[in-house]
Amino acid sequence: MSKVAALQSSFHLLFFFVIFLCLVNTIFSGVTSSFTRSEWPAVDIPLDSKEFAVPNNQNAPQQVHITQGDYDGKAVIVSWVTNTGPGSSEVLYGKSQNKYDHGAQGKSTNYTFFDYKSGYIHHCLLDGLEHDTKYYYKIGTGDSAREFWFQTPPEINPDAPYTFGIIGDLGQTYNSLSTLEHYMQSGGQTVLFVGDLSYADRYECNNGTRWDSWGRFVERSVAYQPWIWTAGNHEIEYRPDLGEVSTFKPFLHRHATPYEASQSSSPLWYAIRRASAHIIVLSSYSPFVVYTPQWHWLRDELKRVDREKTPWLIVLMHAPLYNSNEGHYMEGESMRVAFESWFVHYKVDVIFAGHVHAYERSYRISNINYNITSGSRYPVPDKSAPVYITVGDGGNQEGLAVRFSEVQPDYSAFREASYGHSTLELKNRTHAFYRWNRNDDGKQVPTDNVIFHNQYW
Ligand SMILES: [Fe+2]
């Protein structure tokens, strides 16, 4: 071959190699959405708004909310507040409206926070329920009584279809209202709430009345279907300057969780099984390093996961382990170091987090080879790894985290700084349809869709 021919041949090879690289880059690079919008100002809805209306009758139950009350979905914890007196902690319930042939007795508690005194907070466990059944329930007495209903999940079964909603960092602005209203039209059956609820701690001296208004705000959904609670940084409420030195005080008084059913020692980390899903809730702001109670519990709970019965393994936490936004960058890094190898080993399907007020979804990647001296500093594609999704875009008063890193990391599949919520439709043991729904012009606009193939089956 002549020198010219050899040169031409090398040039052609180089040319095709460059084209190949461009194609690979197009296939695997992520999308940074250019959509930006803040439809309403990030300020809380006024307290005298109808969105926070107090029920009319004297001492009527308000801020009604339910959550799963056991490991497998045959129990519900009903919670509510009465403001002017302890009232009754009893729940009447049954399978027909106006025919309450069962009753359960709960307990009430209250707390003070600086100069705020809470109402009477009632928690009542309804257990021994039948799966896949609609129950009506009634709380309060006489003219003040109020009635609601909920649907229990199907029995634990690998092919039981079920739809979860995912909401984070909700707060109580008009953007929050938009998120909530859109979620309620989505067909979601249970909310996986990834932390930062009321943002009451943003008020000077910490305004407990904003916990109460938030309770009334979300009642329209959470009185009728369980929300699974994860604690965020706005729930810590550590205020030594106000003489408040315990942590998570209002959250723990207001939001019961079924932690004992999963052998946890704290309401802040626990697990439930629901339909075809095993859901693990972690606390980003409680000790989790090696040998701590949360570390021990997670190690044991992961061993209890039975993918033959619950194929979908989902983890919730507040601070994301992977985040390419400038907001809260690397705050989840210490938990990533503590737990990521377990998540890969147990083939977790998806990890939902909040905290960052924007939306982001990763590819399946891991960074478990990095051990300080290995030099393998970058996350790499890993088929056994979870997908990481940040949904901290509920719409609270702190506004959006609009600044993503200028160059989108290879691991980031889609990111957008606007408000919304997600839905995860588990279809059977092998497939689930996931989408993120942007709040836009009063309509629900599905923006990011992906079909998940189960990591076990
Ligand atoms: Fe947060």
Side-chain angles (χ1 to χ4, degrees):
M1 190 187 290
S2 71
K3 274 188 180 175
V4 174
L7 206 61
Q8 276 180 336
S9 172
S10 303
F11 178 77
H12 280 133
L13 269 175
L14 187 67
F15 177 76
F16 286 119
F17 184 64
V18 168
I19 295 291
F20 173 74
L21 279 184
C22 288
L23 280 174
V24 167
N25 202 36
T26 307
I27 292 165
F28 291 106
S29 66
V31 173
T32 300
S33 168
S34 59
F35 183 94
T36 52
R37 176 195 295 274
S38 179
E39 196 169 343
W40 293 286
V43 292
D44 281 354
I45 298 171
L47 279 176
D48 58 2
S49 158
K50 65 177 172 42
E51 307 305 337
F52 303 136
V54 179
N56 280 334
N57 289 323
Q58 174 76 13
N59 209 32
Q62 56 167 282
Q63 306 174 49
V64 182
H65 53 278
I66 66 171
T67 195
Q68 184 162 320
D70 64 352
Y71 203 42
D72 281 348
K74 290 180 78 177
V76 162
I77 302 168
V78 181
S79 305
W80 70 96
V81 175
T82 51
N83 255 348
T84 54
S88 164
S89 295
E90 187 180 34
V91 176
L92 300 176
Y93 63 101
K95 289 191 240 176
S96 317
Q97 202 163 11
N98 301 320
K99 189 169 173 233
Y100 301 103
D101 44 10
H102 291 76
Q105 191 61 44
K107 286 182 178 170
S108 77
T109 180
N110 54 40
Y111 70 93
T112 59
F113 196 99
F114 188 54
D115 59 357
Y116 167 81
K117 189 173 182 306
S118 80
Y120 298 87
I121 303 166
H122 306 259
H123 300 292
C124 181
L125 178 72
L126 317 186
D127 60 3
L129 305 174
E130 291 172 34
H131 280 299
D132 217 358
T133 302
K134 186 170 185 177
Y135 284 91
Y136 297 86
Y137 68 98
K138 180 176 173 179
I139 50 181
T141 50
D143 291 342
S144 300
R146 298 181 67 200
E147 296 167 68
F148 306 89
W149 51 262
F150 60 80
Q151 176 89 19
T152 53
E155 202 168 347
I156 301 296
N157 180 304
D159 290 307
Y162 205 75
T163 301
F164 291 98
I166 305 97
I167 300 176
D169 303 68
L170 185 58
Q172 43 193 306
T173 70
Y174 287 103
N175 295 307
S176 321
L177 179 62
S178 175
T179 300
L180 191 53
E181 286 178 337
H182 291 155
Y183 167 67
M184 290 171 69
Q185 294 161 17
S186 75
Q189 295 165 285
T190 290
V191 168
L192 307 178
F193 194 90
V194 288
D196 284 358
L197 287 66
S198 72
Y199 287 74
D201 66 330
R202 295 266 300 171
Y203 286 82
E204 200 178 347
C205 297
N206 196 308
N207 192 338
T209 56
R210 279 290 177 178
W211 267 111
D212 292 319
S213 58
W214 194 80
R216 297 194 292 273
F217 177 62
V218 294
E219 184 191 271
R220 70 201 72 199
S221 169
V222 70
Y224 299 93
Q225 61 169 252
W227 285 29
I228 307 303
W229 303 110
T230 312
N233 55 303
H234 286 278
E235 279 70 68
I236 302 173
E237 305 198 71
Y238 172 66
R239 291 295 299 273
D241 56 319
L242 304 178
E244 297 293 347
V245 293
S246 64
T247 50
F248 300 104
K249 189 179 182 182
F251 174 77
L252 291 175
H253 277 85
R254 290 169 181 274
H255 296 286
T257 67
Y259 66 100
E260 286 161 323
S262 56
Q263 301 171 47
S264 164
S265 57
S266 166
L268 298 171
W269 58 87
Y270 60 98
I272 60 159
R273 311 198 305 172
R274 201 164 177 88
S276 51
H278 193 122
I279 294 155
I280 292 178
V281 178
L282 296 178
S283 177
S284 298
Y285 305 100
S286 305
F288 54 75
V289 298
V290 63
Y291 312 135
T292 58
Q294 186 169 202
W295 181 92
H296 273 289
W297 174 82
L298 178 61
R299 186 192 58 178
D300 296 344
E301 182 62 23
L302 284 167
K303 288 178 194 158
R304 286 191 282 270
V305 176
D306 182 354
R307 304 292 276 276
E308 301 282 329
K309 291 183 175 143
T310 51
W312 296 97
L313 179 52
I314 299 165
V315 176
L316 313 180
M317 61 184 63
H318 187 61
L321 306 193
Y322 285 93
N323 162 40
S324 70
N325 195 295
E326 286 182 23
H328 302 301
Y329 185 62
M330 284 188 71
E331 285 185 18
E333 184 64 4
S334 48
M335 185 177 270
R336 186 191 68 73
V337 171
F339 294 151
E340 186 182 23
S341 59
W342 290 353
F343 296 152
V344 173
H345 176 77
Y346 286 97
K347 295 190 172 178
V348 171
D349 287 289
V350 55
I351 296 185
F352 291 106
H355 200 36
V356 179
H357 300 166
Y359 173 73
E360 184 163 18
R361 173 174 60 83
S362 79
Y363 295 112
R364 292 199 184 279
I365 43 93
S366 76
N367 201 8
I368 53 176
N369 292 328
Y370 177 53
N371 67 0
I372 307 258
T373 56
S374 70
S376 312
R377 291 172 296 160
Y378 299 107
V380 293
D382 186 339
K383 284 182 182 165
S384 297
V387 166
Y388 294 88
I389 296 177
T390 304
V391 202
D393 55 348
N396 65 76
Q397 58 156 263
E398 291 178 338
L400 290 168
V402 293
R403 287 203 305 276
F404 283 108
S405 64
E406 203 163 305
V407 177
Q408 187 168 11
D410 291 343
Y411 68 74
S412 173
F414 184 93
R415 53 185 197 170
E416 178 177 310
S418 63
Y419 299 117
H421 75 275
S422 295
T423 45
L424 179 65
E425 298 172 33
L426 307 181
K427 299 295 188 189
N428 52 39
R429 73 184 70 193
T430 56
H431 286 76
F433 182 55
Y434 166 81
R435 65 185 175 188
W436 174 65
N437 308 285
R438 172 204 293 156
N439 297 351
D440 180 45
D441 297 326
K443 296 188 288 291
Q444 178 180 290
V445 180
T447 308
D448 181 36
N449 304 311
V450 62
I451 291 170
F452 285 132
H453 297 260
N454 187 269
Q455 289 287 82
Y456 177 83
W457 286 93

